Amino acid sequence: MKRPVEQAITGFAWLSMAMLLFAVFSVIGYLFLKGYPSLDTRLIFGDTAVLDALLLRKQVFNGLFPAAAGTLVLVVMSVVWAIPVGIATGIYLAEYASARVKGVLNLFFDILAGIPSIVIGLFGFALAVFLHKNFSRAIQPCLLISSIALAFLVLPYLIRTTQMALEGLPEDTRLGALALGATKLQNIFYVLLPRSLSGIMSGVILAIGRCAEDTAVIMLTGVVATAGIPKSLFSGYEALPFYIYYISSQYTSPEELLTGYGASIILLAICIVLFSAAFLIKKRLTYIAFYRS
Amino acid sequence: MRSMKETIAERTFLLSAIVSSSITLIIFGFMLFMALPLLSGGKILRILSSAWSPGNGSYGIFPMIVGTLAISFLSVAISFPVSIGCSGFIGILGPRQLNRYLKKIVQVMTGIPTVIYGFVGIFLLVPIVRELAGRGSGMSVITAALMLSVLISPTMILFFNDSFERVPRSYLEAADGLGANKVQKLVYVILPNAKKGIIMGLILAFGRALGDTLVALMIAGNATQVPGSIFDSARTLTAHIALVIAADYESIEFKSIFACGIVLYLFTTAIVLGVRYLASGRRKMR
């Protein structure tokens, strides 16, 4: 290869890296530049006293508290549905399934992982319509439907990380307890699962991050612009990502827009902390888990 | 003999696996069921190939299919060269000390919510595109494609880097022995050996662009015409689903949304099958 061509290639690599960093830091920098004046307790609690709001003694009207509370409840509920099923499925795939069954199930979970979140949202919506027509008039898009749809969305992440963590254990770890007379189940619960805990945890953290940031699923399954603190499983609720989307098109004053920037910074911070934590716990596992070859 | 406990546990695990895998089928089944009246006769072809104008009773999703493909292809086309450059930089060309941190940054980028890209897109990118185009609102195919290319590039970079790292060490050492420099190693050893991984990364990134809702919904303008140029406004299938949802449950308009869902589902399945086919070929090669 000629020298100038080599230099051009090196130059191109530097340029690409610079472009990528420029793009990311202009997105993040722009948010902070525009949004930092909004960052104080008023952003979250509005004019209500902090303690009153936290103890639910008074309603918060012009702050992000209801949206943040909605996101929190939603994330906890979705993860509570998804974790037992996801981890149990991961254990089945890694420890029980035959090669054939595993191949078929892996295909299913690959497809499930690839389904666009809006399609899962559409499914959730259709489910609500179906239940509304056939079972109870009381059922409509609500917190419960959203959390179930979100659980479907993050299920493949949990299955993958659990399966990969278990399959990645060295053979001698696997055989030790069995050699001492432990049953297969004892081996799984006392040896294999504790050893793969960090991998499973990184999956759980990623699932939490996905639930917190997802907008497409919830906008079809029950999130609304104003609902206050979530009161029941069968009512609408507010959420941070939807609030950001809503404000971006419906803001009526510069103050409202500023709250949108503030909400974006909070959501960004939450997601970056969660994803960093997941990567810190398991350096390689996480992204390979999504795009396993 | 196996104890009760063992059997119950195995059955529970099996049941979970059946439940979670059936979700994949149930979602598709539900889409089909809801879109059922449209699937009989030649109606589905008409839906797929005609324009969207509810006023005239035409509920075709052809413009949205074109919009989706245009935005996704364009974003991959923008992001691919940059991602190759970045992964070459992180993989071998850049200073090693720096690369550890760069890789961390790219990993963390995968966690930035798409609604944030959309939000910043509206207030930062849209005005710039409006100036450049000199017409329209600035919400266009290219605006969404640019923002999406930032969204999908971490996927590509991490996947490319992973396939770079799988090139056997001995190949690189052989190249070292022949006196190859870093650029020569990248061009003659790493890239040819990582070709399959690169194609897989491309397909996956395309899938990511295809399935994203918020960026296109917020900054592509959502016009229901087939875009004539990259500065025209367009609507993607995903955005279309989000926008039409409020309609009456029994209407054809509402049912046509599920046709969008089916199209997206089939695109996804094709992508997954393609990647798996490539991956199985790679395993056989070794």
Side-chain angles (χ1 to χ4, degrees):
Chain A
M1 225 182 320
K2 295 219 173 62
R3 189 111 195 100
V5 179
E6 286 179 7
Q7 276 169 343
I9 292 173
T10 312
F12 177 73
W14 279 87
L15 183 71
S16 307
M17 205 66 231
M19 276 169 70
L20 184 81
L21 292 178
F22 174 74
V24 179
F25 285 110
S26 47
V27 168
I28 296 175
Y30 182 79
L31 268 187
F32 274 88
L33 215 62
K34 287 280 191 176
Y36 85 92
S38 70
L39 293 177
D40 59 19
T41 53
R42 279 184 49 89
L43 173 66
I44 296 175
F45 297 105
D47 299 324
T48 315
V50 175
L51 204 62
D52 284 348
L54 283 178
L55 296 173
L56 308 181
R57 280 197 295 229
K58 277 188 191 147
Q59 241 185 316
V60 176
F61 287 106
N62 45 0
L64 293 174
F65 185 63
T71 291
L72 183 69
V73 174
L74 181 70
V75 167
V76 170
M77 281 182 61
S78 320
V79 174
V80 164
W81 304 134
I83 283 181
V85 182
I87 291 182
T89 307
I91 293 174
Y92 182 78
L93 281 176
E95 303 299 324
Y96 291 94
S98 65
R100 260 181 90 107
V101 173
K102 211 172 176 172
V104 175
L105 289 182
N106 273 337
L107 174 64
F108 279 18
F109 298 135
D110 279 352
I111 295 175
L112 187 60
I115 297 177
S117 58
I118 192 90
V119 176
I120 300 205
L122 183 59
F123 167 73
F125 182 78
L127 186 70
V129 171
F130 181 80
L131 294 176
H132 179 84
K133 275 202 283 204
N134 295 311
F135 289 99
S136 159
R137 292 267 153 212
I139 296 177
Q140 51 188 337
C142 63
L143 193 53
L144 183 69
I145 298 280
S146 283
S147 67
I148 292 173
L150 272 183
F152 289 0
L153 185 76
V154 296
L155 201 55
Y157 294 45
L158 291 165
I159 297 171
R160 292 287 177 67
T161 41
T162 307
Q163 182 191 357
M164 290 192 59
L166 286 171
E167 284 175 350
L169 291 174
E171 200 58 32
D172 39 0
T173 311
R174 203 166 268 287
L175 296 175
L178 291 178
L180 293 171
T183 64
K184 191 168 185 176
L185 192 64
Q186 285 170 334
N187 195 28
I188 290 173
F189 275 100
Y190 294 122
V191 182
L192 303 182
L193 278 184
R195 285 298 201 92
S196 40
L197 211 58
S198 67
I200 297 174
M201 265 322 286
S202 75
V204 172
I205 295 172
L206 279 175
I208 293 174
R210 277 301 272 126
C211 288
E213 66 121 17
D214 189 90
T215 323
V217 170
I218 60 174
M219 67 194 288
L220 297 193
T221 53
V223 75
V224 289
T226 41
I229 304 285
K231 286 166 214 68
S232 111
L233 290 183
F234 300 100
S235 65
Y237 59 96
E238 293 179 38
L240 277 178
F242 184 75
Y243 181 83
I244 297 169
Y245 166 70
Y246 182 77
I247 284 294
S248 75
S249 56
Q250 311 283 333
Y251 68 96
T252 51
S253 65
E255 290 76 35
E256 254 186 30
L257 185 58
L258 195 62
T259 336
Y261 282 108
S264 302
I265 293 175
I266 292 175
L267 186 67
L268 184 67
I270 293 172
C271 288
I272 284 184
V273 166
L274 287 173
F275 274 71
S276 308
F279 278 114
L280 208 70
I281 292 175
K282 216 68 192 163
K283 285 191 180 61
R284 282 171 55 85
L285 183 84
T286 34
Y287 65 89
I288 301 173
F290 306 132
Y291 305 118
R292 193 180 35 158
S293 52
Chain B
M1 214 184 80
R2 278 155 36 113
S3 70
M4 262 307 258
K5 220 161 122 191
E6 297 276 319
T7 319
I8 293 174
E10 183 174 350
R11 292 280 157 81
T12 313
F13 295 145
L14 176 64
L15 185 71
S16 310
I18 292 172
V19 167
S20 35
S21 53
S22 60
I23 289 170
T24 314
L25 296 177
I26 290 174
I27 290 176
F28 191 65
F30 237 93
M31 298 283 150
L32 277 182
F33 174 71
M34 297 298 277
L36 207 54
L38 299 178
L39 297 176
S40 57
K43 277 197 206 129
I44 185 69
L45 286 178
R46 208 166 66 232
I47 293 263
L48 290 179
S49 63
S50 62
W52 177 264
S53 71
N56 303 325
S58 169
Y59 299 99
I61 56 173
F62 182 68
M64 290 52 139
I65 296 179
V66 175
T68 299
L69 292 178
I71 290 175
S72 312
F73 270 118
L74 200 57
S75 66
V76 171
I78 296 169
S79 152
F80 177 65
V82 178
S83 300
I84 280 280
C86 289
S87 33
F89 189 89
I90 294 175
I92 184 162
L93 296 180
R96 190 165 294 178
Q97 281 304 313
L98 195 62
N99 286 343
R100 283 213 343 258
Y101 297 104
L102 289 177
K103 198 163 177 181
K104 288 232 168 66
I105 291 176
V106 176
Q107 285 175 339
V108 169
M109 269 181 80
T110 56
I112 300 179
T114 78
V115 68
I116 302 269
Y117 283 116
F119 189 79
V120 173
I122 290 183
F123 299 107
L124 185 67
L125 192 59
V126 167
I128 297 175
V129 174
R130 184 164 49 214
E131 285 296 310
L132 284 178
R135 66 190 169 94
S137 64
M139 295 193 176
S140 62
V141 172
I142 187 71
T143 326
L146 278 171
M147 218 60 205
L148 269 179
S149 67
V150 184
L151 177 85
I152 63 177
S153 52
T155 305
M156 275 206 233
I157 295 170
L158 291 176
F159 203 85
F160 291 169
N161 255 93
D162 198 47
S163 62
F164 287 4
E165 278 164 23
R166 279 190 217 174
V167 174
R169 275 232 75 77
S170 56
Y171 290 17
L172 292 173
E173 279 158 10
D176 280 337
L178 294 170
N181 62 24
K182 283 180 172 178
V183 177
Q184 288 167 335
K185 271 196 286 189
L186 179 69
V187 175
Y188 293 120
V189 183
I190 297 179
L191 286 180
N193 278 294
K195 203 160 77 191
K196 272 224 168 108
I198 291 172
I199 297 173
M200 279 159 63
L202 258 179
I203 300 177
L204 283 166
F206 181 71
R208 185 93 217 272
L210 203 73
D212 187 80
T213 310
L214 267 295
V215 171
L217 178 64
M218 290 165 90
I219 63 177
N222 297 321
T224 53
Q225 272 87 47
V226 174
S229 87
I230 56 170
F231 292 110
D232 280 354
S233 161
R235 187 186 283 201
T236 59
L237 287 167
T238 50
H240 188 59
I241 294 176
L243 288 166
V244 182
I245 205 68
D248 167 25
Y249 299 164
E250 294 301 330
S251 64
I252 307 184
E253 189 175 1
F254 179 65
K255 299 232 168 355
S256 76
I257 296 307
F258 290 92
C260 293
I262 292 173
V263 172
L264 282 169
Y265 192 104
L266 293 179
F267 273 145
T268 306
T269 309
I271 284 168
V272 169
L273 290 177
V275 170
R276 282 172 73 94
Y277 174 75
L278 282 172
S280 71
R282 184 160 74 177
R283 230 170 279 137
K284 262 176 229 148
M285 247 169 51
R286 288 213 186 136

